[in-house]
């Protein structure tokens, strides 16, 4: 079938930002102006298209990333609206993994906030080109120049201003287009077209300087513009646009727009910026996969004629349609009824139906081509991060890595009728969300659920009741502590059992060493002369890994350990896989005991914005919670406290901070790292952990 949109006219973009910067409001205006919706949804009224979950509408925040497809002029734009709350950072992670560009929405009052930095780093990791939209220019305290300075300082990038605000705060009317030297005034009515007006006399000099600065910044990052600039040539608007596109696609600089999405000002120009400056699938660097047959890197050309390959980036349980798997098609085409290979799990699957998603609405299509973002029914064994490809040419794409949960609670069904429903609900939600983990504690007989924060688990528990009809009792939140070692230990693991007939014999000698924080586990095989047959190496590693799930201080998982298997012995008759697995497990337990184990706790990066008169109370409270203040700055008449705090000290913090500041302060947190627990606190945690065991 011929393509409905040429590949060069496709834009796959994410709307990303800190919570409450206006992502969903901006997306709702985009859908309205592109003709995808006939009525503008409002976050405060719970009428948005993109925030369709009951929990999203009740709380006024985005929880799940929502995908939609729309058109602007001749261009097709696939959009994913992402959450801004750090508890749902996995939604941003997987969206940026499969998209080609991003629109970073910034609050003109707050500037670059904590989660803005986080999503910026996530976009850096995947080399996603971006444009910035300075939103809320109509709000009291809006400061465009300060926001630009914060982009430079906190995001460490080169902003190229393409628009200047026309007025500010209650007098904000529109913007001045620096490329065309034109001023545009907007009405609050979304159906009234923007009006070209004369640039105010008092801004003529500022506009002239800003346009010269724009060309100079562009010249510093683009050779073509630099040559014309040095030669003193007149640089046309088309040449400036082409230069801006080159530096944006190559991640050398970021064009900056301004407006007010809520007041319907500047969104059309932002859409022009999306199609003018953000890349099509053809502009992105070559994508490489690993051939399942040869284990060599293979380039996946973005072409319908290439072999089909796609990445599953999301799984959703739809109450009406069942299990939906979202795919980004990188090359080739896909038709309904086709058989594909899940090369990650080496399983063949059949494509049931193909749909284009518009939030929670579906548009059924018969086929999908390169660059498409689609959802599939019928993929029973495909999960987030899996590669789906042509069975004739199996290849595997790099999967998506997600952060580990840092908080957990125990749940149990209220009635026997809820027992089976609870297990099914938790399984479906853990399929959807890779940062939500479920495990069963054999010692206490409890089901433990773990997530990224209190809000994350609160939403999970709310969904259990509203979506799955499960009534459950929920325990108090618990921190996901970990254990590690602080010195080396060379230990012996020996498992010998003699019974009638064949016995069991496994003997290993392993050196355990601490690794850098966050490195996980490393296994090195240093056996010489075949003193342990190769077939027993794998079981030894498996035994060590299994034993790491429960540490020796208080039963928390062991992390950041290097194990070097360097010696041992075996028996021709009695040695077996299980014997060496047990020997590896025994070695780990003994090694952890000897290597001075310590307890680790999750540390959160904290940003508090408060009126100055409450700063002393907040700092005093932070000190009592083992918090560490890094620095304090001032923004829009408010004090901003930057620091770090143990997760264990943050439960119920929103209530505390409200009471300390008469409800006038707010804060944001994100996971930073694991650090050693102070010895006096560790003793208390260890005694509790042993008591629970």
């Amino acid at each position: 079938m011929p393509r409905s949109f040429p590949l060069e006219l496709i834009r796959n973009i994410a709307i990303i930002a800190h919570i409450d910067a206006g992502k969903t409001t901006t997306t709702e205006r985009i859908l309205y102006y592109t003709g995808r919706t006939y009525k503008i949804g409002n976050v405060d009224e719970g009428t948005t298209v993109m925030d369709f979950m009951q929990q999203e509408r009740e709380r006024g925040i985005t929880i799940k990333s929502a995908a939609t497809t729309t058109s602007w002029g001749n261009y097709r734009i696939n959009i994913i609206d992402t959450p801004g709350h750090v508890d749902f950072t996995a939604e941003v992670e997987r969206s940026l993994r499969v998209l080609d560009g991003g629109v970073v929405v910034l609050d003109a009052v707050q500037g670059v906030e904590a989660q803005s930095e986080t999503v910026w780093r996530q976009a850096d990791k995947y080399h996603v080109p971006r444009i910035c939209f300075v939103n809320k220019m109509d709000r009291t305290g809006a400061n465009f120049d300060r926001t630009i300075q914060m982009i430079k300082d906190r995001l460490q990038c080169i902003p190229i201003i393409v628009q200047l605000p026309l007025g500010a705060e209650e007098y904000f009317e529109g913007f001045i287009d620096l490329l065309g030297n034109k001023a545009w005034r907007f009405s609050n009515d979304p159906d009234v077209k923007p009006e070209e007006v004369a640039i105010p006399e008092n801004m003529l000099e500022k506009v002239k300087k800003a346009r010269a600065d724009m060309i100079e910044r562009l010249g510093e990052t683009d050779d073509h513009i630099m040559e014309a600039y040095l030669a003193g040539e007149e640089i046309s608007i088309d040449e400036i646009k082409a230069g801006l596109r080159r530096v944006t696609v190559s991640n050398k600089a970021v064009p900056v727009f301004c407006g007010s999405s809520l007041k319907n000002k500047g969104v059309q120009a932002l859409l022009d910026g999306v199609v003018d400056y953000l890349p099509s699938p053809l502009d992105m660097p070559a994508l490489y996969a690993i051939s399942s047959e040869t284990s060599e890197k293979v380039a996946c050309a973005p072409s319908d004629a290439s072999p089909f390959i796609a990445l599953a980036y999301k799984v959703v349980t739809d109450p009406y349609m069942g299990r939906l798997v979202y795919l980004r098609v990188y090359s080739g085409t896909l038709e309904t009824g086709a058989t594909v290979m899940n090369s990650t799990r080496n399983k063949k699957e059949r494509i049931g139906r193909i749909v284009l998603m518009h939030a929670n609405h579906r548009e059924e299509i018969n086929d999908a081509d390169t660059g498409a973002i689609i959802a599939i029914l019928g993929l029973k064994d495909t999960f987030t991060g899996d590669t789906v490809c042509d069975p004739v040419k199996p290849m595997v794409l790099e999967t998506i890595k997600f952060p580990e949960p840092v908080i957990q609670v125990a749940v149990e069904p209220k009635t026997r009728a809820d027992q089976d429903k609870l297990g099914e609900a938790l399984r479906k939600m853990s399929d959807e969300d890779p940062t939500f983990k479920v495990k069963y504690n054999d010692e206490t007989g409890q089901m433990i659920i773990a997530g990224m924060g209190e809000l994350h688990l609160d939403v999970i528990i709310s969904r259990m009741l509203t979506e799955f009809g499960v009534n459950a009792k929920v325990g108090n939140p618990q921190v996901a502590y970990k254990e590690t070692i602080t010195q080396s230990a060379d230990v012996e693991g020996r498992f010998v059992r003699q019974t009638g007939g064949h016995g069991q014999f496994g003997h290993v000698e392993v050196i355990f060493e601490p690794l850098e924080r966050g490195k996980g586990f490393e296994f090195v095989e240093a056996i010489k002369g075949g003193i342990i047959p190769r077939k027993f190496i794998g079981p030894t590693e498996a035994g060590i890994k299994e034993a790491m799930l429960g540490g020796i201080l208080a039963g928390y998982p062991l992390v950041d350990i290097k194990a070097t298997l360097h010696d041992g012995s075996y028996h021709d008759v009695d040695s077996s896989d299980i014997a060496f697995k047990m020997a590896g497990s025994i070695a780990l337990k003994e090694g952890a005991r000897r290597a001075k184990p310590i307890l680790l706790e999750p540390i959160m990066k904290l940003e508090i914005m408060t009126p100055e008169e409450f700063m002393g109370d907040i700092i005093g409270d932070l000190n009592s919670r083992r918090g560490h203040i890094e620095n304090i700055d001032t923004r829009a008449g408010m004090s901003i406290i930057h620091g770090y705090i143990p997760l264990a000290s943050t439960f119920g913090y929103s209530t505390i901070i409200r009471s300390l500041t008469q409800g006038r302060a707010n804060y944001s947190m994100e996971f930073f790292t694991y650090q050693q627990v102070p010895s006096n606190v560790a003793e208390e945690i260890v005694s509790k952990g042993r008591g629970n065991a």
Side-chain angles (χ1 to χ4, degrees):
M1 270 186 71
R3 293 184 64 96
S4 51
F5 281 85
L7 206 51
E8 62 270 18
L9 300 186
I10 289 178
R11 301 289 182 269
N12 292 318
I13 66 165
I15 311 291
I16 55 177
H18 185 91
I19 190 168
D20 205 30
K23 296 179 302 302
T24 301
T25 301
T26 301
T27 308
E28 292 293 321
R29 268 57 182 182
I30 287 173
L31 297 180
Y32 183 77
Y33 286 121
T34 57
R36 196 69 172 84
T37 56
Y38 65 92
K39 183 182 176 185
I40 295 177
N42 188 293
V43 172
D44 295 331
E45 294 170 7
T47 57
T48 58
V49 172
M50 302 303 277
D51 286 353
F52 57 85
M53 284 175 63
Q54 181 181 329
Q55 288 82 3
E56 292 178 315
R57 292 186 167 179
E58 286 173 355
R59 298 165 192 266
I61 61 170
T62 302
I63 293 170
K64 281 186 174 183
S65 58
T68 189
T69 299
T70 189
S71 302
W72 183 245
N74 297 324
Y75 292 81
R76 163 164 284 185
I77 306 177
N78 297 316
I79 303 170
I80 298 181
D81 177 32
T82 64
H85 197 286
V86 67
D87 281 16
F88 310 107
T89 188
E91 296 288 337
V92 183
E93 189 81 22
R94 58 176 157 202
S95 300
L96 290 172
R97 171 67 176 80
V98 297
L99 293 173
D100 304 325
V103 176
V104 181
V105 181
L106 300 171
D107 185 328
V109 180
Q110 308 301 342
V112 177
E113 298 170 89
Q115 188 64 7
S116 304
E117 290 186 72
T118 302
V119 297
W120 193 273
R121 288 196 302 271
Q122 288 173 298
D124 279 342
K125 182 165 81 172
Y126 295 114
H127 309 292
V128 175
R130 279 142 279 174
I131 60 178
C132 285
F133 180 60
V134 181
N135 190 26
K136 302 190 179 184
M137 281 301 307
D138 60 308
R139 290 266 307 276
T140 302
N143 189 321
F144 183 75
D145 293 336
R146 186 188 63 236
T147 303
I148 296 297
Q149 191 58 48
M150 291 179 76
I151 292 173
K152 293 176 186 173
D153 297 341
R154 298 186 71 168
L155 303 181
Q156 298 293 300
C157 73
I158 300 172
I160 298 182
I161 300 168
V162 296
Q163 294 174 351
L164 285 180
L166 187 61
E169 301 182 331
E170 61 182 302
Y171 302 108
F172 178 68
E173 295 181 293
F175 62 81
I176 297 166
D177 172 22
L178 294 180
L179 276 77
N181 258 332
K182 294 177 181 178
W184 295 94
R185 179 189 292 143
F186 289 75
S187 164
N188 289 345
D189 185 339
D191 296 320
V192 175
K193 290 187 176 181
E195 172 193 4
E196 185 182 343
V197 295
I199 297 172
E201 288 283 337
N202 63 346
M203 287 192 71
L204 286 172
E205 195 58 40
K206 183 177 181 179
V207 170
K208 183 180 178 183
K209 183 180 184 307
R211 193 175 194 278
D213 284 347
M214 174 187 71
I215 294 172
E216 194 175 325
R217 293 287 88 74
L218 186 55
E220 289 170 1
T221 49
D222 183 78
D223 292 341
H224 294 81
I225 299 296
M226 177 58 81
E227 288 172 11
Y229 181 75
L230 292 175
E233 298 172 7
E234 184 67 32
I235 303 171
S236 69
I237 293 175
D238 287 343
E239 286 173 320
I240 294 172
K241 278 188 174 181
L244 282 167
R245 181 174 180 78
R246 285 191 296 270
V247 299
T248 306
V249 169
S250 60
N251 272 311
K252 291 179 180 176
V254 180
V256 181
F257 298 76
C258 65
S260 168
S261 297
L262 186 64
K263 297 294 175 63
N264 311 304
K265 296 176 180 177
V267 177
Q268 300 100 315
L270 177 65
L271 278 163
D272 289 338
V274 166
V275 300
D276 286 343
Y277 308 130
L278 290 180
S280 74
L282 291 173
D283 297 315
M284 297 302 288
L287 182 77
Y288 287 93
I290 302 297
S291 168
S292 300
E293 296 166 340
T294 65
S295 298
E296 293 178 353
K297 285 174 74 172
V298 180
C300 304
S303 163
D304 292 346
S306 300
F308 170 72
I309 189 166
L311 186 72
Y313 73 92
K314 183 171 176 167
V315 176
V316 170
T317 303
D318 188 283
Y320 305 106
M321 300 189 75
R323 193 173 190 270
L324 281 169
V325 178
Y326 285 67
L327 297 181
R328 159 68 195 265
V329 181
Y330 283 105
S331 68
T333 59
L334 184 66
E335 293 182 357
T336 302
T339 297
V340 294
M341 170 69 81
N342 180 332
S343 51
T344 306
R345 301 177 192 274
N346 199 27
K347 289 187 176 181
K348 286 189 177 179
E349 299 227 60
R350 187 177 177 278
I351 302 297
R353 292 154 68 188
I354 305 174
V355 292
L356 284 178
M357 297 302 296
H358 178 46
N360 60 334
H361 301 289
R362 297 155 295 275
E363 176 190 331
E364 196 156 338
I365 56 177
N366 295 320
D367 53 35
D369 41 33
T370 301
I373 292 177
I374 53 174
I376 304 287
L377 283 100
L379 300 180
K380 294 183 176 64
D381 296 310
T382 299
F383 298 88
T384 300
D386 288 358
T387 302
V388 180
C389 63
D390 186 337
V392 177
K393 195 168 182 182
M395 296 179 285
V396 182
L397 293 165
E398 183 183 352
T399 190
I400 311 171
K401 293 183 176 68
F402 295 99
E404 285 295 311
V406 294
I407 185 173
Q408 59 191 33
V409 297
V411 294
E412 58 183 62
K414 282 188 176 178
T415 66
R416 187 175 291 275
D418 290 316
Q419 182 90 40
D420 294 336
K421 288 197 292 184
L422 175 64
E424 181 67 9
L426 293 177
R427 184 188 64 77
K428 286 180 176 178
M429 287 191 287
S430 62
D431 279 357
E432 291 183 9
D433 184 351
T435 59
F436 172 59
K437 307 284 188 187
V438 182
K439 63 181 179 180
Y440 185 76
N441 189 323
D442 293 318
E443 294 172 339
T444 62
Q446 288 180 310
M447 189 76 77
I448 306 294
I449 60 173
M452 299 306 296
E454 285 184 279
L455 179 61
H456 188 195
L457 292 183
D458 189 33
V459 167
I460 293 284
I461 292 156
S462 173
R463 287 185 63 199
M464 280 198 302
L465 180 62
T466 56
E467 286 182 37
F468 300 98
V470 181
N471 284 294
K473 299 177 191 171
V474 183
N476 292 323
Q478 293 182 331
V479 176
Y481 292 105
K482 293 183 180 179
E483 298 178 21
T484 192
I485 59 176
T486 56
Q487 65 181 36
S488 300
D490 189 348
V491 298
E492 180 180 64
R494 183 184 291 271
F495 182 74
V496 181
R497 292 289 183 274
Q498 195 59 53
T499 56
H502 288 317
Q504 296 284 359
F505 182 90
H507 170 223
V508 296
E509 292 186 22
V510 186
I511 298 172
F512 292 100
E513 302 167 86
L515 287 175
E516 281 180 45
R517 204 68 73 239
K519 290 292 185 182
F521 173 67
E522 184 182 332
F523 181 79
V524 177
E525 186 259 302
I527 294 294
K528 293 179 181 175
I531 52 176
I532 297 178
R534 297 204 65 80
K535 64 180 179 180
F536 296 137
I537 304 296
T540 303
E541 181 182 1
I544 293 172
K545 279 184 177 177
E546 196 171 292
M548 286 176 66
L549 296 175
I552 55 98
L553 285 175
Y556 295 111
L558 278 153
V559 295
D560 304 334
I561 291 177
K562 178 181 178 182
T564 304
L565 175 62
H566 67 95
D567 205 351
S569 60
Y570 75 102
H571 190 279
D572 288 334
V573 177
D574 290 349
S575 286
S576 64
D577 287 0
I578 189 67
F580 273 89
K581 186 175 181 182
M582 290 300 297
S585 176
I586 292 165
L588 184 279
K589 294 291 185 187
E590 181 60 27
R593 261 190 290 272
R594 286 198 211 167
K596 290 196 175 175
I598 58 168
L599 204 61
L600 301 174
E601 65 179 342
I603 303 295
M604 310 300 285
K605 188 176 182 183
L606 179 68
E607 184 177 289
I608 303 171
M609 186 170 67
T610 175
E612 195 169 333
E613 62 260 38
F614 303 113
M615 197 162 64
D617 292 336
I618 288 179
I619 290 173
D621 181 69
L622 281 176
N623 289 333
S624 73
R625 294 170 181 272
R626 296 193 287 126
H628 165 70
I629 294 166
E630 189 177 37
N631 68 291
I632 301 170
D633 57 40
T634 305
R635 192 187 311 159
M638 302 282 275
S639 293
I640 316 297
I641 302 170
H642 304 274
Y644 302 94
I645 188 170
L647 176 65
S649 303
T650 65
F651 297 144
Y653 191 58
S654 55
T655 305
I656 300 294
I657 202 166
R658 276 199 297 268
S659 65
L660 286 174
T661 64
Q662 300 169 13
R664 293 171 62 193
N666 58 58
Y667 74 99
S668 63
M669 280 192 303
E670 63 174 306
F671 172 70
F672 177 62
T673 188
Y674 269 87
Q675 285 183 4
Q676 182 175 353
V677 180
S679 56
N680 60 321
V681 181
E683 285 171 16
E684 188 181 332
I685 295 166
V686 168
S687 62
K688 278 185 186 174
R690 286 175 177 161
N692 291 338

